[in-house]
């Protein structure tokens, strides 16, 4: 792999990560591309987030957090921020200076835009043949929808995810939390890392394509199976007929998963219904699914004797379960704290806030300490200085609105 960047990473501190020395140019916006780059930053890569003068659209979405968008903070940790007008000649030249030394570039521009900006794969490959060029699209690079803009919830609806939520045959429901975007982000991180590994053998970069459609179908690989001769409306539900799922308790809600014989017996005994576990009519997961209408009312009546938290404590390791918590309750959960999944960030505008540390744990190369997402244009001057621009040149670029 390339040697470490020539400039020091003033925002980085702590141990090296598996990708320390790798430089990433993040030209993407919203969630999938940016968070894919964040996952690379977690692993030690130096990620420069380049925003247009209008900013990443995520900054403009409604938010209950003053000064900065909550989502932008969570999606863009551990990056340096550069505001750059790629439509200007000077802005394009600055990007090319970065491209010459970069290892990975990620963007989610609509088809045709990279060519107009002069940053398509063929052009950049001539400048830096070792560059890993990652593109996030809505539907892929070919086919009748290749030019269509892709958004998480749109792909949820198209790919069948919505129809699998809620009650079968009723109104489809969106899964909140942009799950397709976040899974695409993981594919970006994994795909880019694999391309880096292959580059060690070939010495060459390559195009890496991730689409929201491919992400949505990959998430449903267990459902996306249709055997010859099966009807169109074949059931693809894995919910064990309603026994596995969320149930009301005396206070709050409890998710239960008791599919194996051991867990089923433990559940029945602990809720005071041992006769269910001893009934041959219910002695397999398929039988329980078939007779769920008989079992679920008995189970839910028993669960009304305690709160969800009390049941969670009582079941312990014997029954897979969790009380349905508000996300605010998770920040200081003892397991989250024990695994060092949450840390405190310092932000120039927001001040102190708590957020995610990193997604993967590495024993020997844990990676540097995470830092807050950049303020709009926070590191523009520092990045330009490290590229060799003088103070006078940087001032002119700002006056000409090429950078901010």
């Amino acid at each position: 792999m390339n040697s470490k960047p020539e400039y020091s990473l003033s925002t980085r501190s702590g141990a090296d990560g598996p990708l320390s020395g790798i430089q990433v140019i993040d030209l993407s916006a919203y969630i999938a591309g940016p968070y894919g780059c964040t996952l690379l930053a977690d692993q030690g890569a130096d990620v420069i987030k380049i925003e247009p003068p209008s900013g990443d659209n995520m900054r403009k979405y409604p938010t209950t957090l003053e000064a900065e968008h909550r989502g932008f903070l969570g999606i863009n940790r551990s990056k340096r921020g550069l505001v750059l007008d790629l439509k200007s000649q000077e802005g394009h030249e600055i990007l090319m200076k970065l491209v010459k030394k970069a290892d990975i570039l990620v963007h989610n521009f609509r088809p045709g835009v990279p060519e107009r900006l002069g940053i398509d794969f063929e052009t950049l490959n001539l400048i830096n043949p070792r560059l890993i060029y990652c593109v996030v699209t809505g539907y892929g690079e070919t086919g009748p929808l290749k030019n269509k803009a892709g958004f998480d919830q749109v792909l949820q609806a198209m790919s069948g995810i919505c129809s699998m939520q809620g009650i079968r045959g009723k109104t489809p429901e969106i899964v909140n939390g942009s799950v397709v975007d976040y899974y695409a982000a993981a594919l970006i991180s994994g795909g880019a890392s694999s391309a880096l590994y292959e580059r060690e053998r070939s010495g060459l970069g390559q195009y890496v394509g991730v689409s929201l459609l491919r992400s949505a179908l990959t998430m449903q690989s267990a459902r996306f199976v249709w055997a010859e001769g099966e009807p169109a409306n074949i059931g693809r539900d894995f919910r064990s007929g309603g026994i596995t799922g969320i149930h009301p308790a005396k206070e709050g809600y409890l998710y239960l998963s008791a599919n194996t014989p051991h867990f089923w017996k433990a559940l029945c005994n602990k809720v005071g219904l041992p006769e269910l576990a001893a009934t041959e009519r219910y002695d397999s997961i398929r039988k329980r699914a078939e007779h769920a209408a008989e079992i679920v009312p008995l189970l839910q009546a028993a669960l009304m004797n305690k709160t969800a938290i009390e049941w969670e404590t009582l079941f312990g390791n014997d029954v897979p379960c969790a009380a349905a918590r508000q996300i605010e309750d998770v920040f200081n959960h003892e397991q989250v704290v024990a695994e060092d999944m949450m840390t405190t960030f310092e932000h120039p505008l927001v001040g102190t806030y708590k957020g995610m540390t990193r997604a993967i744990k590495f024993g020997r190369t844990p990676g540097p300490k995470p830092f807050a997402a950049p303020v709009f244009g926070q590191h523009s001057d520092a990045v330009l200085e490290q590229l060799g621009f003088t103070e006078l040149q940087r001032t002119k670029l700002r006056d000409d609105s090429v950078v901010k």
Side-chain angles (χ1 to χ4, degrees):
M1 294 183 182
N2 289 350
S3 58
K4 290 186 178 182
E6 296 175 1
Y7 47 82
S8 62
L9 306 180
S10 57
T11 49
R12 286 297 206 191
S13 63
D16 280 350
L19 296 181
S20 290
I22 295 299
Q23 183 161 17
V24 180
I25 300 174
D26 178 10
L27 292 172
S28 59
Y30 293 109
I31 298 176
Y35 200 68
C37 293
T38 290
L39 295 175
L40 298 172
D42 286 347
Q43 299 172 65
D46 170 30
V47 179
I48 298 176
K49 181 175 180 63
I50 298 179
E51 298 182 65
S54 58
D56 184 329
N57 282 334
M58 181 57 70
R59 293 186 186 270
K60 304 169 188 176
Y61 272 51
T63 179
T64 55
L65 182 66
E66 294 183 9
E68 186 56 278
H69 192 279
R70 191 183 312 277
F72 186 88
L73 294 179
I75 293 163
N76 291 284
R77 66 176 176 270
S78 301
K79 301 178 184 179
R80 296 190 294 160
L82 166 65
V83 175
L84 191 62
D85 182 4
L86 297 181
K87 296 179 180 179
S88 69
Q89 180 179 343
E90 297 89 344
H92 184 270
E93 291 173 354
I94 291 170
L95 178 62
M96 293 307 101
K97 287 180 179 288
L98 289 168
V99 166
K100 287 179 181 178
K101 294 183 178 181
D103 297 286
I104 300 170
L105 181 143
V106 178
H107 76 72
N108 63 341
F109 292 123
R110 297 273 293 275
V113 175
E115 288 77 10
R116 291 200 299 271
L117 294 175
I119 59 170
D120 53 283
F121 172 71
E122 289 75 14
T123 299
L124 298 192
N125 184 247
L126 293 175
I127 296 172
N128 181 358
R130 290 174 56 83
L131 183 69
I132 310 300
Y133 186 92
C134 299
V135 179
V136 187
T137 62
Y139 302 86
E141 295 84 0
T142 59
L145 300 183
K146 67 179 182 179
N147 294 324
K148 185 179 175 68
F151 294 93
D152 182 285
Q153 290 83 0
V154 176
L155 269 299
Q156 284 191 39
M158 175 190 173
S159 67
I161 292 176
C162 296
S163 295
M164 294 301 297
Q165 308 310 308
I167 301 173
R168 181 175 173 84
K170 300 294 184 179
T171 303
E173 296 181 7
I174 290 292
V175 181
N176 291 324
S178 301
V179 291
V180 175
D181 279 335
Y182 279 104
Y183 195 77
L187 296 178
I188 293 165
S189 175
S193 297
S194 294
L196 285 174
Y197 180 78
E198 191 280 334
R199 193 179 71 175
E200 289 298 290
R201 296 194 294 265
S202 68
L204 299 173
Q206 62 179 298
Y207 181 99
V208 176
V210 172
S211 74
L212 299 189
L213 176 58
R214 194 177 294 274
S215 171
L217 295 183
T218 301
M219 292 173 64
Q220 300 184 91
S221 292
R223 295 170 177 162
F224 202 64
V225 175
W226 195 353
E228 184 176 359
E230 285 189 314
N233 62 345
I234 189 71
R236 301 175 187 275
D237 190 344
F238 289 2
R239 300 174 196 159
S240 307
I243 298 169
T244 291
I246 295 180
H247 301 279
K250 181 179 180 180
E251 180 181 312
Y253 292 83
L254 183 76
Y255 180 85
L256 290 172
S257 177
N259 295 327
T260 68
H262 169 76
F263 291 140
W264 168 244
K265 182 178 180 180
L267 171 63
C268 293
N269 288 337
K270 287 183 177 290
V271 299
L273 297 171
E275 65 276 11
L276 295 183
T279 302
E280 184 178 353
R281 183 178 175 84
Y282 309 141
D283 66 1
S284 74
I285 185 173
R286 293 189 177 184
K287 289 181 180 179
R288 293 193 291 275
E290 182 182 353
H291 302 294
E294 304 169 9
I295 301 171
V296 170
L298 298 173
L299 175 61
Q300 292 188 344
L303 291 174
M304 295 304 293
N305 291 316
K306 298 182 184 298
T307 68
I309 293 294
E310 289 172 338
W311 282 120
E312 184 184 75
T313 302
L314 178 63
F315 289 153
N317 295 328
D318 296 327
V319 180
C321 70
R325 290 173 168 78
Q326 297 294 320
I327 194 167
E328 293 81 3
D329 298 328
V330 183
F331 282 87
N332 295 317
H333 190 287
E334 58 184 1
Q335 187 62 32
V336 172
V337 173
E339 280 289 294
D340 193 28
M341 296 178 182
M342 188 276 297
T343 192
T344 300
F345 295 91
E346 294 293 334
H347 189 273
L349 299 181
V350 177
T352 299
Y353 70 90
K354 295 178 180 179
M356 184 73 184
T357 52
R358 53 177 61 86
I360 305 172
K361 181 189 291 187
F362 293 93
R364 185 169 53 81
T365 56
K369 182 180 177 180
F371 57 92
V375 172
F376 189 60
Q378 180 176 349
H379 306 101
S380 294
D381 199 63
V383 172
L384 292 177
E385 182 179 7
Q386 290 156 354
L387 287 174
F389 288 85
T390 66
E391 183 176 356
L392 184 62
Q393 290 172 319
R394 299 196 302 271
T395 299
K396 185 177 186 306
L397 289 169
R398 285 194 298 272
D399 290 344
D400 293 342
S401 298
V402 175
V403 300
K404 289 185 181 295

